[in-house]
Amino acid sequence: MKMITAVIKPFKVDDVRDALAQIGVQGMTVTEVKGFGRQKGHTELYRGAEYVVDFVPKVKLELAVVDERVDQAVEAIAQAASSGKIGDGKIFITALEQALRIRTGETDNDAL
């Protein structure tokens, strides 16, 4: 099992969710986050005053996936989240040692 963490632009969440549903990936956690990478924020004008936005709003998706579906899921996320512009985001994949479905007691792949 792997944990896929993707940090993407907020307006791409629905596209990514639909792409994952099409390949049969169910369930994810979505968190609104702020951060920066190479984008390093930007300046905005508000009521005539210019100010720097250091942290850019993003969305963090976390999903647990069986090993056989990792490549498919990563490809679906990357294609759906891509706009071809700076700030499209990142995808991280980490090993997931154990999973437990609380309601049924199922473990590992059965819990996903």
Side-chain angles (χ1 to χ4, degrees), residues 10 21 30-31 44 51-52 54 64-65 73 77-78 80-81 84 91 94 96 110:
V30 180
T31 311
E44 288 189 6
Y51 65 100
V52 177
D54 291 329
V65 180
I77 294 168
I91 300 173
T94 53
L96 187 60
D110 293 333

Short mmCIF file of all heavy atoms in Angstrom, two decimals, residues 10 21 30-31 44 51-52 54 64-65 73 77-78 80-81 84 91 94 96 110:
data_model
loop_
_atom_site.label_atom_id
_atom_site.label_comp_id
_atom_site.label_asym_id
_atom_site.label_seq_id
_atom_site.Cartn_x
_atom_site.Cartn_y
_atom_site.Cartn_z
N PRO A 10 -6.47 24.86 -6.10
CA PRO A 10 -7.82 24.58 -5.61
C PRO A 10 -8.87 24.33 -6.69
O PRO A 10 -9.73 23.47 -6.53
CB PRO A 10 -8.17 25.85 -4.81
CG PRO A 10 -6.86 26.42 -4.41
CD PRO A 10 -5.91 26.09 -5.53
N ALA A 21 -12.03 8.79 -9.80
CA ALA A 21 -13.25 7.97 -9.80
C ALA A 21 -13.32 7.12 -11.06
O ALA A 21 -13.76 5.96 -11.01
CB ALA A 21 -14.48 8.85 -9.68
N VAL A 30 -9.27 15.73 1.76
CA VAL A 30 -8.95 17.00 1.12
C VAL A 30 -8.79 18.06 2.21
O VAL A 30 -9.66 18.23 3.05
CB VAL A 30 -10.08 17.43 0.14
CG1 VAL A 30 -9.75 18.76 -0.51
CG2 VAL A 30 -10.31 16.35 -0.89
N THR A 31 -7.67 18.77 2.17
CA THR A 31 -7.38 19.81 3.15
C THR A 31 -6.97 21.09 2.43
O THR A 31 -6.16 21.04 1.50
CB THR A 31 -6.20 19.38 4.06
OG1 THR A 31 -6.44 18.06 4.56
CG2 THR A 31 -6.03 20.33 5.21
N GLU A 44 -0.38 41.59 -4.81
CA GLU A 44 -1.76 41.92 -5.14
C GLU A 44 -2.04 43.36 -4.77
O GLU A 44 -1.35 43.94 -3.93
CB GLU A 44 -2.73 41.00 -4.40
CG GLU A 44 -2.75 39.58 -4.92
CD GLU A 44 -3.86 38.74 -4.32
OE1 GLU A 44 -4.71 39.28 -3.56
OE2 GLU A 44 -3.89 37.54 -4.59
N TYR A 51 0.41 44.68 -1.74
CA TYR A 51 0.98 43.85 -0.70
C TYR A 51 1.39 42.50 -1.27
O TYR A 51 0.91 42.08 -2.31
CB TYR A 51 0.01 43.68 0.48
CG TYR A 51 -1.26 42.92 0.15
CD1 TYR A 51 -1.37 41.58 0.48
CD2 TYR A 51 -2.33 43.54 -0.48
CE1 TYR A 51 -2.53 40.88 0.18
CE2 TYR A 51 -3.48 42.85 -0.78
CZ TYR A 51 -3.57 41.51 -0.45
OH TYR A 51 -4.71 40.81 -0.75
N VAL A 52 2.29 41.84 -0.56
CA VAL A 52 2.84 40.57 -1.02
C VAL A 52 2.09 39.43 -0.34
O VAL A 52 1.92 39.42 0.87
CB VAL A 52 4.35 40.48 -0.68
CG1 VAL A 52 4.91 39.12 -1.09
CG2 VAL A 52 5.11 41.59 -1.36
N ASP A 54 2.69 35.91 0.55
CA ASP A 54 3.81 34.97 0.64
C ASP A 54 3.38 33.52 0.47
O ASP A 54 4.12 32.71 -0.05
CB ASP A 54 4.51 35.11 2.01
CG ASP A 54 5.23 36.44 2.13
OD1 ASP A 54 5.71 36.95 1.10
OD2 ASP A 54 5.32 36.96 3.25
N ALA A 64 -4.98 6.66 0.16
CA ALA A 64 -4.29 5.40 0.32
C ALA A 64 -4.70 4.51 -0.84
O ALA A 64 -5.88 4.37 -1.16
CB ALA A 64 -4.66 4.75 1.65
N VAL A 65 -3.70 3.90 -1.47
CA VAL A 65 -3.94 3.14 -2.69
C VAL A 65 -3.18 1.82 -2.61
O VAL A 65 -2.05 1.78 -2.11
CB VAL A 65 -3.46 3.95 -3.92
CG1 VAL A 65 -3.69 3.19 -5.21
CG2 VAL A 65 -4.14 5.30 -3.99
N ALA A 73 -3.08 5.98 -10.45
CA ALA A 73 -3.57 7.10 -9.65
C ALA A 73 -2.69 8.33 -9.82
O ALA A 73 -3.18 9.44 -10.00
CB ALA A 73 -3.66 6.71 -8.18
N ILE A 77 -3.89 11.90 -11.43
CA ILE A 77 -3.75 13.16 -10.70
C ILE A 77 -2.94 14.16 -11.51
O ILE A 77 -3.32 15.32 -11.67
CB ILE A 77 -3.11 12.94 -9.32
CG1 ILE A 77 -4.03 12.12 -8.42
CG2 ILE A 77 -2.78 14.27 -8.65
CD1 ILE A 77 -3.36 11.60 -7.16
N ALA A 78 -1.81 13.69 -12.04
CA ALA A 78 -0.91 14.58 -12.78
C ALA A 78 -1.60 15.16 -14.02
O ALA A 78 -1.49 16.36 -14.29
CB ALA A 78 0.36 13.84 -13.19
N ALA A 80 -4.93 15.44 -14.59
CA ALA A 80 -6.09 16.27 -14.24
C ALA A 80 -5.67 17.59 -13.58
O ALA A 80 -6.34 18.61 -13.75
CB ALA A 80 -7.02 15.51 -13.31
N ALA A 81 -4.55 17.60 -12.87
CA ALA A 81 -4.13 18.80 -12.14
C ALA A 81 -3.27 19.74 -12.99
O ALA A 81 -3.04 20.88 -12.60
CB ALA A 81 -3.38 18.41 -10.88
N GLY A 84 -0.09 23.38 -17.04
CA GLY A 84 1.09 23.76 -17.80
C GLY A 84 1.75 25.02 -17.30
O GLY A 84 2.69 25.51 -17.90
N ILE A 91 3.34 15.81 -6.31
CA ILE A 91 2.77 14.55 -5.85
C ILE A 91 3.88 13.81 -5.10
O ILE A 91 4.99 13.67 -5.61
CB ILE A 91 2.27 13.68 -7.03
CG1 ILE A 91 1.19 14.43 -7.80
CG2 ILE A 91 1.75 12.34 -6.52
CD1 ILE A 91 0.75 13.74 -9.08
N THR A 94 4.49 7.74 -0.50
CA THR A 94 5.18 7.14 0.64
C THR A 94 4.61 5.77 0.92
O THR A 94 3.45 5.48 0.62
CB THR A 94 5.06 8.02 1.90
OG1 THR A 94 3.68 8.29 2.15
CG2 THR A 94 5.78 9.34 1.73
N LEU A 96 2.96 2.86 2.97
CA LEU A 96 1.94 2.81 4.00
C LEU A 96 2.01 1.44 4.64
O LEU A 96 1.75 0.43 4.00
CB LEU A 96 0.56 3.07 3.37
CG LEU A 96 -0.63 3.22 4.30
CD1 LEU A 96 -0.42 4.39 5.25
CD2 LEU A 96 -1.88 3.44 3.48
N ASP A 110 -7.78 -4.76 2.37
CA ASP A 110 -9.22 -4.89 2.56
C ASP A 110 -9.82 -3.62 3.19
O ASP A 110 -11.00 -3.32 3.01
CB ASP A 110 -9.55 -6.08 3.45
CG ASP A 110 -9.20 -7.41 2.78
OD1 ASP A 110 -9.21 -7.46 1.53
OD2 ASP A 110 -8.91 -8.38 3.51
#
